[in-house]
């Protein structure tokens, strides 16, 4: 066990070093941060502000969706608490490999706010299903309608990776849907998993743990049924999620206009960002580091000049990643209400 945790700790440290190294490279290399600071007066500040506003809208819609899903089971869950939970998720998703820490910490935060863990899990899984299915539809449309935009051997490789990312997202949706609506399979799977953990001496009293989990799962399945009977809520959340994703994907276009460039089709740039997102979504690094920057360099290389592509990558990452960590960090310390 000690060896396992040592390896895990070493892996996390390695990922952190890699992420910081990538940031340092974009800061000190030619046309990096120093050149960006020198040329900052040349930016269109209004378009830079629009990029920040689009990213903040993405976060606000995310918070509202948590509020809406949580209120299908608890009418007293406030938007203030939903916003706090959203920021907890934003922070831990940003700093953990593959965004794996976001939802567990959100469930813990919502439980600390007085929401039943089963209700919290149900709300977040429902939100995850809507988000992932909307993102998958977005990705499918991009692949079928906009693949012709990109040429060259490097683009073919990155496009292949983005299609793999799309297939991974689609597979996750199928699995989650299957477990969400098949009670018997879910209970049997949980039972086997808990018994295995007990044999490995990772937990004690598996029977009690299974009973507790079954109670929470029953909450979860009941809430799922309740959600999908509410067609108005389903339509509202899918529309809002589509707007949320579009806000994220418009940020590179705002950065493009901040460099005083014109002529690029906004839908082409949205498609490019969809490809970058599909690539970085399955990268097991905090914030998709490496894949995100590399994907941006390749897919947006035809929109920016050689002199501006690195500053564009840096601006995009500062706004959508490092700024997120900065504003969500104050919420990372979870306390009971």
């Amino acid at each position: 066990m000690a060896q396992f945790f040592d390896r895990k700790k070493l892996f996390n440290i390695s990922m952190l070093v890699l992420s910081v190294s990538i940031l340092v490279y974009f800061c000190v290399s030619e046309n990096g941060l120093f050149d960006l600071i020198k040329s900052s007066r040349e930016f269109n500040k209004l378009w830079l502000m629009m990029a920040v506003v689009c990213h903040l809208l993405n976060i606000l819609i995310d918070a509202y969706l948590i509020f809406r899903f949580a209120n299908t089971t608890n009418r007293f869950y406030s938007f203030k608490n939903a916003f706090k939970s959203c920021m907890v998720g934003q922070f831990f998703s940003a700093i953990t490999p593959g965004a794996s820490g976001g939802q567990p910490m959100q469930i813990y935060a919502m439980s600390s706010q007085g929401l039943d863990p089963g209700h919290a899990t149900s709300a977040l899984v429902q939100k995850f299903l809507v988000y992932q299915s909307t993102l998958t539809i977005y990705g499918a449309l991009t692949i079928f309608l906009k693949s012709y935009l990109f040429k060259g051997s490097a683009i073919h490789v990155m496009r292949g990776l983005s299609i793999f990312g799309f297939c991974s997202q689609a597979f996750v949706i199928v699995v989650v849907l299957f477990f969400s609506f098949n009670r018997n399979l879910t209970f049997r799977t949980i039972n086997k998993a808990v018994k295995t953990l007990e044999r490995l001496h990772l937990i004690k009293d598996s029977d009690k743990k299974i009973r507790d989990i079954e109670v929470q799962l029953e909450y979860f399945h009941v809430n799922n049924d309740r959600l999908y009977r509410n067609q108005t809520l389903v339509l509202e959340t899918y529309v809002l999620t589509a707007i949320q994703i579009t806000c994220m994907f418009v940020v590179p276009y705002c950065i493009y206009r901040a460099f005083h460039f014109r002529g690029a089709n906004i839908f082409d740039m949205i498609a490019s960002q969809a490809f970058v997102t599909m690539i970085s979504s399955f990268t097991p690094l905090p914030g998709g580091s490496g894949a995100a920057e590399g994907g941006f360099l390749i897919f947006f290389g035809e929109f920016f000049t050689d002199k501006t592509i690195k500053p564009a990558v840096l601006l995009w990452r500062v706004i959508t990643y490092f700024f997120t960590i900065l504003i969500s960090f104050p919420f990372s310390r979870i306390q009971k209400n």
Side-chain angles (χ1 to χ4, degrees):
M1 287 298 296
Q3 186 179 11
F4 170 77
F5 284 113
D6 286 342
R7 288 179 179 177
K8 184 177 179 181
K9 185 176 180 180
L10 179 62
F11 175 79
N12 290 335
I13 292 173
S14 301
M15 295 305 97
L16 179 61
V17 170
L18 178 60
S19 300
V20 172
S21 299
I22 292 170
L23 174 63
V24 170
Y25 166 75
F26 280 99
C27 287
V28 302
S29 62
E30 185 180 0
N31 296 322
L33 177 62
F34 298 142
D35 292 332
L36 180 65
I37 293 172
K38 292 176 184 177
S39 61
S40 61
R41 292 182 181 179
E42 300 174 10
F43 290 129
N44 185 318
K45 303 299 192 299
L46 179 61
W47 278 104
L48 275 182
M49 190 179 300
M50 282 294 297
V52 175
V53 168
C54 285
H55 183 58
L56 291 176
L57 280 175
N58 153 46
I59 294 175
L60 285 174
I61 293 174
D62 195 63
Y64 179 76
L65 288 169
I66 293 174
F67 169 73
R68 288 292 283 130
F69 281 117
N71 271 271
T72 60
T73 58
N74 188 324
R75 297 291 180 183
F76 302 101
Y77 191 71
S78 67
F79 179 78
K80 179 181 177 181
N81 281 338
F83 181 77
K84 289 179 180 178
S85 300
C86 168
M87 297 306 281
V88 167
Q90 293 284 335
F91 178 77
F92 286 100
S93 292
I95 67 170
T96 54
S100 57
Q103 280 199 342
M105 293 306 296
Q106 279 184 308
I107 293 171
Y108 178 69
M110 294 168 79
S111 301
S112 299
Q113 294 166 346
L115 196 65
D116 184 271
H119 292 168
T121 302
S122 176
L124 291 176
V125 171
Q126 289 164 356
K127 176 178 171 294
F128 172 80
L129 278 173
V130 171
Y131 181 86
Q132 283 296 120
S133 57
T134 306
L135 187 61
T136 301
I137 293 170
Y138 224 120
L141 290 173
T142 301
I143 290 170
F144 288 115
L145 299 178
K146 293 292 185 179
S147 289
Y148 69 89
L149 292 170
F150 311 110
K151 301 175 183 177
S153 58
I155 284 292
H156 286 308
V157 172
M158 297 303 283
R159 186 169 60 188
L161 289 174
S162 66
I163 292 173
F164 177 78
F166 163 76
C167 293
S168 301
Q169 291 171 345
F171 177 75
V172 168
I173 291 171
V174 171
V175 171
V176 174
L177 279 172
F178 196 68
F179 278 94
S180 295
F181 294 98
N182 191 320
R183 284 175 166 80
N184 293 332
L185 177 63
T186 305
F187 288 141
R188 288 200 302 271
T189 303
I190 294 295
N191 193 305
K192 289 181 180 179
V194 172
K195 291 293 185 182
T196 300
L197 291 173
E198 185 180 43
R199 286 196 295 271
L200 294 172
H201 304 291
L202 296 177
I203 64 170
K204 297 179 180 179
D205 195 358
S206 62
D207 291 334
K208 181 179 182 302
K209 180 68 68 175
I210 289 170
R211 287 194 299 271
D212 292 341
I213 292 174
E214 285 182 347
V215 170
Q216 301 302 328
L217 283 173
E218 188 59 32
Y219 277 132
F220 171 67
H221 287 294
V222 168
N223 292 335
N224 266 348
D225 294 339
R226 184 181 300 166
L227 168 70
Y228 287 99
R229 284 197 301 267
N230 189 341
Q231 295 181 357
T232 302
L233 177 61
V234 171
L235 178 61
E236 177 190 350
T237 53
Y238 269 101
V239 170
L240 283 173
T241 302
I243 295 172
Q244 176 191 10
I245 293 171
T246 302
C247 285
M248 289 192 301
F249 288 179
V250 165
V251 171
Y253 179 77
C254 295
I255 294 172
Y256 170 81
R257 294 300 304 271
F259 281 94
H260 301 281
F261 291 140
R262 294 176 180 270
N265 186 317
I266 186 173
F267 297 107
D268 291 348
M269 297 197 76
I270 288 174
S272 297
Q273 180 57 56
F275 277 110
V276 174
T277 299
M278 284 186 282
I279 291 169
S280 59
S281 63
F282 67 92
T283 304
L285 295 174
S289 296
E293 291 86 356
F296 194 100
L297 281 170
I298 292 175
F299 283 109
F300 286 94
E302 64 181 82
F303 301 111
F304 292 90
T305 64
D306 292 340
K307 187 178 179 179
T308 58
I309 185 63
K310 283 184 182 178
V313 173
L314 189 61
L315 278 174
W316 172 65
R317 286 299 270 173
V318 166
I319 292 171
T320 61
Y321 183 59
F322 296 105
F323 177 62
T324 301
I325 294 175
L326 179 65
I327 62 175
S328 60
F329 174 73
F331 299 87
S332 60
R333 185 180 179 184
I334 302 171
Q335 296 177 328
K336 291 186 179 293
N337 283 347

